[in-house]
Amino acid sequence: MACDVSKDGPYHCTYPHPAATIEDTERAVMAPFGLVLLRSGCSSVSVVVRIRQWSCDYVELEELEVTKLNTFTLSADASTSNTAKIEEMERLLREAQAEKHRLLEHREREIEVRRQALEDERRRREDLEKRLQEETSRRQKLIEREVKLREKQRAQSRPLTRYLPVRKDDFDLRGHIESAGHSIETCYHVSITEKTCRGFLIKMGGKIKTWKKRWFVFDRNRRTLSYYADKHEAKLKGVIYFQAIEEVYYDHLKNAHKSPNPSLTFSVKTHDRVYYMVAPSPEAMRIWMDVIVTGAEGYTQFMI
């Protein structure tokens, strides 16, 4: 290295460096520390040196630190930094895309689950509707079959008494009852002639379910079963016509409301209602049932 040195002026020197040839450098002498800073204007290389030997002929410098400021190196450092940033951004972008794909897949799975649930619910409702229709159809068929069976039984059945209704004009009611095995003479609760039968029975009201004692008159000439307030037959309380009487039977199901004597209760069924009556004795109940059924003209197909 060759330097032109003077104590008072600026120092100009040519400093050969492995990275580049320094020409036209400016040197600054750092007096307190004996340091010299050499800067090259052509290659942007800075060299910090220490003065070893001072003389008018030359200055021997010790290179302390060299900082390369090569523009290509700075560009490379900047490029490396930018590359790291780009890589970081690409990594974040990939993570964001992966998260987006994950969320989309999750949403698609939820939509698929909901769609499947709706489809299952629709199928379940269709199955229930189909089963309901089948059950309704089956019950309708059962009802129709039961109705036909009842109509057939009704057509083939007979009244729930020992005898059928009789409409002959010469029919002897007293003789008919005696031939049935009833002892009319010993049953003082009932008075029977060839055409009539009279006696007290306790009847349940229609609207008001109370039991009241009534005087009943079975008259084959008038073809009625009438009942009065007392045996004088002055105050008529009601009339049951023969053609309205369908059945006469013992109340074995105990349907009579609060019957005063359930074991002596029998029923007279008409088109519009059922009359519940209580006889004063078992024999009187059997006689009344066999008497009334002879006038049950509601069963016209069984009339003699």
Side-chain angles (χ1 to χ4, degrees), residues 258-273:
K258 296 182 180 180
S259 172
N261 195 337
S263 62
L264 299 179
T265 303
F266 66 97
S267 306
V268 177
K269 184 178 181 299
T270 64
H271 297 318
D272 54 356
R273 62 173 287 192

Side-chain angles (χ1 to χ4, degrees), residues 62-304:
E62 177 186 2
E63 184 176 339
L64 295 180
E65 180 181 358
V66 178
T67 304
K68 297 181 180 180
L69 301 176
N70 192 290
T71 56
F72 299 104
T73 305
L74 292 176
S75 300
D77 293 341
S79 176
T80 303
S81 176
N82 291 336
T83 303
K85 290 181 180 180
I86 291 172
E87 291 178 353
E88 179 67 16
M89 292 176 66
E90 290 178 348
R91 184 184 65 80
L92 294 175
L93 181 60
R94 287 194 299 270
E95 291 180 356
Q97 290 177 347
E99 180 67 15
K100 177 182 177 181
H101 291 321
R102 188 187 67 80
L103 292 175
L104 289 175
E105 291 177 356
H106 180 69
R107 183 178 179 182
E108 290 177 356
R109 286 196 299 270
E110 286 185 346
I111 292 174
E112 181 64 22
V113 169
R114 291 179 181 177
R115 188 191 65 79
Q116 187 65 33
L118 291 175
E119 183 68 18
D120 294 342
E121 180 68 15
R122 184 184 64 80
R123 291 178 181 176
R124 187 183 67 84
R125 289 187 178 182
E126 289 179 354
D127 183 62
L128 288 176
E129 290 178 358
K130 182 178 179 181
R131 291 170 57 187
L132 180 61
Q133 291 177 357
E134 292 177 353
E135 182 67 17
T136 302
S137 177
R138 187 183 67 83
R139 292 190 177 184
Q140 185 65 28
K141 290 180 180 179
L142 289 176
I143 292 173
E144 292 176 356
R145 186 183 306 173
E146 183 68 19
V147 169
K148 290 180 180 180
L149 181 61
R150 289 186 179 182
E151 290 178 352
K152 183 178 179 181
Q153 291 177 348
R154 182 184 179 89
Q156 295 177 353
S157 63
R158 53 159 290 170
L160 302 178
T161 52
R162 297 193 312 172
Y163 303 104
L164 296 176
V166 180
R167 197 170 182 178
K168 294 179 179 179
D169 294 335
D170 57 349
F171 179 73
D172 185 358
L173 180 62
R174 184 182 179 89
H176 174 74
I177 296 302
E178 288 178 343
S179 64
H182 297 294
S183 178
I184 299 176
E185 300 297 335
T186 60
C187 185
Y188 58 90
H189 298 290
V190 180
S191 174
I192 302 178
T193 64
E194 293 181 356
K195 298 295 181 180
T196 63
C197 179
R198 287 177 169 83
F200 278 109
L201 294 172
I202 301 176
K203 185 185 77 69
M204 187 181 75
K207 294 181 180 180
I208 302 176
K209 307 301 180 182
T210 56
W211 294 86
K212 294 184 178 180
K213 189 175 182 180
R214 300 301 185 201
W215 178 260
F216 278 81
V217 177
F218 180 87
D219 193 336
R220 289 191 59 85
N221 292 325
R222 296 180 179 179
R223 316 198 74 77
T224 59
L225 175 63
S226 306
Y227 51 96
Y228 299 86
D230 52 40
K231 62 189 305 185
H232 300 293
E233 301 180 10
K235 189 175 182 180
L236 180 66
K237 303 298 291 185
V239 178
I240 304 174
Y241 294 94
F242 282 7
Q243 59 265 32
I245 300 174
E246 294 181 349
E247 295 178 1
V248 183
Y249 53 89
Y250 175 70
D251 185 27
H252 59 283
L253 296 178
K254 312 301 180 185
N255 291 326
H257 178 70
K258 296 182 180 180
S259 172
N261 195 337
S263 62
L264 299 179
T265 303
F266 66 97
S267 306
V268 177
K269 184 178 181 299
T270 64
H271 297 318
D272 54 356
R273 62 173 287 192
V274 177
Y275 293 84
Y276 293 99
M277 305 171 189
V278 177
S281 67
E283 181 64 18
M285 182 185 68
R286 290 190 289 268
I287 291 174
W288 271 112
M289 290 177 65
D290 287 341
V291 167
I292 296 173
V293 77
T294 61
E297 295 181 1
Y299 276 95
T300 57
Q301 66 269 34
F302 298 109
M303 292 183 62
I304 301 175

